[in-house]
Amino acid sequence: MTENDVSYIDYETLLSPSFSPYAFANTIVLETNNPTDVPLDLSTPLSKVLFDTQEINASIDALTSKFSLPLLKYTQEQTASSSRIAQAADLHIGNLNEGYKRLEKEVLERYETADEIHKVCIRLWETARLGRSVVRCLQWGRQLEIQLAEISRTGTPATKLDPREDHVALVRCSNTILNLHELLSRREKGQEGHDLDRVQVIQALKSLILDPAEKFVLSKSEQIVREFFPKNMSTSIISSRASTAYTHIGDIRARTMSALTSLYLLSLASSLRKKYQKWEPEYLISALQEYLSSTLTSSLTSLSRGLTTLPSLDKVLIEISARCQDLVTLESILLELTPPSNPNLILDVTQPPNFLQSLLSHLEINSLPSWFWRSLAAGLNSKVMDLVNKGSASLRILRNNRNSVKEAIRQCVIRGIQVPGESNSALEVKWEREIAVMLGSITGPLEKGG
């Protein structure tokens, strides 16, 4: 519609963005009716709306007829443009489809092939890693067999320990056993020992070589510790040995050090297979406890027998002082031995500064000689009480000779704790509590019994 065209229709209201049909209808009704009329006449506003609609329709027809050629031309141009755009789009889509097929053939197929090769490489790498681990285990297994044969120096695994045996081979065997257990304990994915348990040859290695070797080395080491005090020694040898323990221990000392080190290493190997709250070398402590218990029991038995037969008491006391000297020597060995370093060990443990510290902490004592005399006195007290309760000629003899017995026991304690460079008087002052406890274990029951 041009500016010269006149129309009574309010196009501005109809084309307004805020146009509301409800408000427009209400306006028409109010214009054609009196608000106070009841009922309202809606035919007039309805006729007006219909007439306006016909007028708008006629205007559209007139405008369409007037501008039909430009509209058709515009529509034709838009259709042609759309056709050209569609053809160009189809061409590009075709090119894209061809490019995708080419990429699919060149990339996706190659990717699938590369993915298969990647999987094969991973499996080959896992196989190579597992193979290297198996080879290491087998090498250590063979090395362990050789080391077991070296213990006896006969070319075959040792079954009985004798002076000709290479006790240092026990340490080498224990190190090899620890290395094997350390490798087999790395079971997490990606670690060196992952899936080793599934290999049959490793299972055979564990059952036929590793486990028997560990039991053998453990048994031999415990045997050496038990035999730290030489058996069947004459009284004169024991007497002389009590004053020269630090210079005449010789092979026994060296063998004991090897055995103790082996027990410590085997304790580390055992800890790899179990959980613990506070770590301690269980095999080492167990063997030492067994030795201490045996020493205490034999000393208590022989001393009880010596008190009932006083003529043999001197010999018994010499033997007991020699056993205490062995404890002094053992304590010096344990103090000298330090935990061997193993940088590959995966155990998160706080290792003690020396072997003695582990034993003393476990037993909650300050020294082995002090423990020996105090424990011996505690057991001897009950033995003397039994002797007093029974009453016999031996009891009368013991009471008549109590002073000489006390002096003999005092000298026994001093001989047992004697070390080079210290006088008897200094030792007596230093160990006065142990001397008093030993004397009290005899005189106390005798005085109570009258």
Side-chain angles (χ1 to χ4, degrees):
M1 182 178 292
T2 63
E3 294 179 356
N4 296 327
D5 294 333
V6 179
S7 176
Y8 65 90
I9 298 176
D10 188 3
Y11 286 104
E12 292 183 0
T13 301
L14 294 175
L15 296 175
S16 174
S18 61
F19 174 77
S20 172
Y22 307 103
F24 184 71
N26 186 55
T27 301
I28 294 176
V29 171
L30 292 176
E31 288 177 352
T32 57
N33 286 275
N34 190 346
T36 60
D37 292 344
V38 178
L40 294 175
D41 183 12
L42 298 179
S43 59
T44 302
L46 180 60
S47 299
K48 176 176 174 52
V49 172
L50 292 175
F51 185 79
D52 290 347
T53 303
Q54 291 176 357
E55 180 66 20
I56 292 172
N57 188 35
S59 298
I60 292 173
D61 290 340
L63 291 172
T64 303
S65 300
K66 183 178 180 179
F67 297 100
S68 59
L69 291 177
L71 288 174
L72 290 174
K73 184 178 180 181
Y74 176 78
T75 303
Q76 187 177 9
E77 291 176 353
Q78 292 297 318
T79 302
S81 299
S82 299
S83 299
R84 289 193 299 271
I85 292 173
Q87 290 176 358
D90 290 339
L91 179 62
H92 287 298
I93 291 173
N95 293 334
L96 288 174
N97 288 333
E98 291 178 0
Y100 176 78
K101 291 180 180 179
R102 185 173 61 255
L103 288 175
E104 184 179 20
K105 182 177 181 181
E106 295 179 356
V107 177
L108 293 181
E109 292 181 0
R110 291 182 182 180
Y111 170 77
E112 293 175 356
T113 304
D115 186 55
E116 292 179 358
I117 295 174
H118 178 256
K119 292 178 180 178
V120 171
C121 290
I122 290 178
R123 291 168 183 169
L124 289 175
W125 181 85
E126 289 288 342
T127 304
R129 178 197 59 78
L130 189 61
R132 287 194 300 269
S133 300
V134 170
V135 169
R136 287 187 64 190
C137 287
L138 294 179
Q139 288 176 342
W140 274 331
R142 179 54 183 161
Q143 179 177 315
L144 185 58
E145 287 183 320
I146 296 173
Q147 290 167 345
L148 288 174
E150 288 175 352
I151 294 178
S152 62
R153 297 180 178 177
T154 60
T156 58
T159 57
K160 185 177 180 181
L161 201 62
D162 59 55
R164 297 175 302 170
E165 294 177 349
D166 183 9
H167 55 82
V168 182
L170 287 173
V171 180
R172 295 195 292 269
C173 285
S174 301
N175 269 310
T176 304
I177 292 171
L178 177 59
N179 288 332
L180 274 169
H181 279 299
E182 193 272 337
L183 176 58
L184 294 173
S185 65
R186 297 177 180 268
R187 302 186 184 91
E188 298 297 329
K189 187 175 180 63
Q191 292 184 335
E192 193 174 6
H194 181 62
D195 283 342
L196 271 180
D197 291 338
R198 299 171 58 185
V199 181
Q200 292 184 353
V201 69
I202 299 300
Q203 296 174 0
L205 174 67
K206 291 175 61 178
S207 60
L208 299 179
I209 298 178
L210 179 58
D211 293 342
E214 184 174 1
K215 293 178 181 178
F216 169 76
V217 174
L218 177 62
S219 175
K220 288 300 177 184
S221 300
E222 290 175 341
Q223 178 185 349
I224 293 176
V225 173
R226 287 195 303 268
E227 296 176 355
F228 175 67
F229 180 77
K231 298 180 180 180
N232 301 322
M233 296 182 69
S234 65
T235 304
S236 60
I237 295 177
I238 295 176
S239 179
S240 63
R241 181 172 174 271
S243 60
T244 58
Y246 284 92
T247 57
H248 290 81
I249 195 160
D251 291 339
I252 297 177
R253 182 186 180 95
R255 288 170 57 189
T256 303
M257 294 178 72
S258 298
L260 293 173
T261 304
S262 297
L263 289 171
Y264 187 89
L265 292 172
L266 292 178
S267 299
L268 289 174
S270 174
S271 300
L272 290 168
R273 305 189 297 271
K274 63 180 67 174
K275 295 182 179 180
Y276 52 87
Q277 293 182 345
K278 181 182 178 182
W279 182 84
E280 59 182 16
E282 56 175 342
Y283 290 151
L284 175 65
I285 291 177
S286 176
L288 290 172
Q289 277 187 303
E290 183 180 353
Y291 170 76
L292 294 176
S293 177
S294 175
T295 300
L296 179 62
T297 302
S298 59
S299 299
L300 181 59
T301 302
S302 59
L303 184 55
S304 300
R305 185 173 58 251
L307 291 176
T308 57
T309 55
L310 288 183
S312 64
L313 182 61
D314 290 339
K315 180 181 178 180
V316 169
L317 292 178
I318 291 176
E319 292 177 352
I320 293 175
S321 62
R323 292 192 182 102
C324 185
Q325 274 289 306
D326 282 322
L327 293 183
V328 173
T329 304
L330 178 62
E331 189 173 65
S332 68
I333 292 174
L334 293 173
L335 183 62
E336 180 182 345
L337 287 174
T338 57
S341 60
N342 190 336
N344 297 323
L345 189 63
I346 61 175
L347 277 177
D348 184 17
V349 298
T350 302
Q351 301 196 51
N354 51 64
F355 288 3
L356 179 62
Q357 185 63 39
S358 298
L359 180 61
L360 297 182
S361 298
H362 181 79
L363 297 178
E364 297 180 352
I365 57 177
N366 295 324
S367 69
L368 296 183
S370 176
W371 168 87
F372 175 74
W373 293 119
R374 290 173 182 268
S375 300
L376 184 61
L380 185 61
N381 186 76
S382 60
K383 296 289 185 181
V384 177
M385 284 295 297
D386 292 341
L387 183 62
V388 171
N389 293 333
K390 291 179 181 179
S392 61
S394 300
L395 177 61
R396 291 192 299 271
I397 296 174
L398 180 60
R399 281 176 174 165
N400 294 333
N401 296 275
R402 69 175 66 182
N403 292 331
S404 60
V405 170
K406 288 171 58 178
E407 182 60 26
I409 290 178
R410 182 192 303 275
Q411 294 301 321
C412 174
V413 175
I414 294 175
R415 283 197 307 270
I417 58 181
Q418 190 171 20
V419 294
E422 287 196 47
S423 62
N424 289 353
S425 58
L427 289 173
E428 190 169 352
V429 173
K430 182 178 180 180
W431 297 89
E432 59 179 350
R433 291 186 178 181
E434 284 69 20
I435 296 174
V437 169
M438 281 296 297
L439 296 179
S441 65
I442 296 177
T443 58
L446 291 178
E447 292 175 356
K448 289 180 181 179

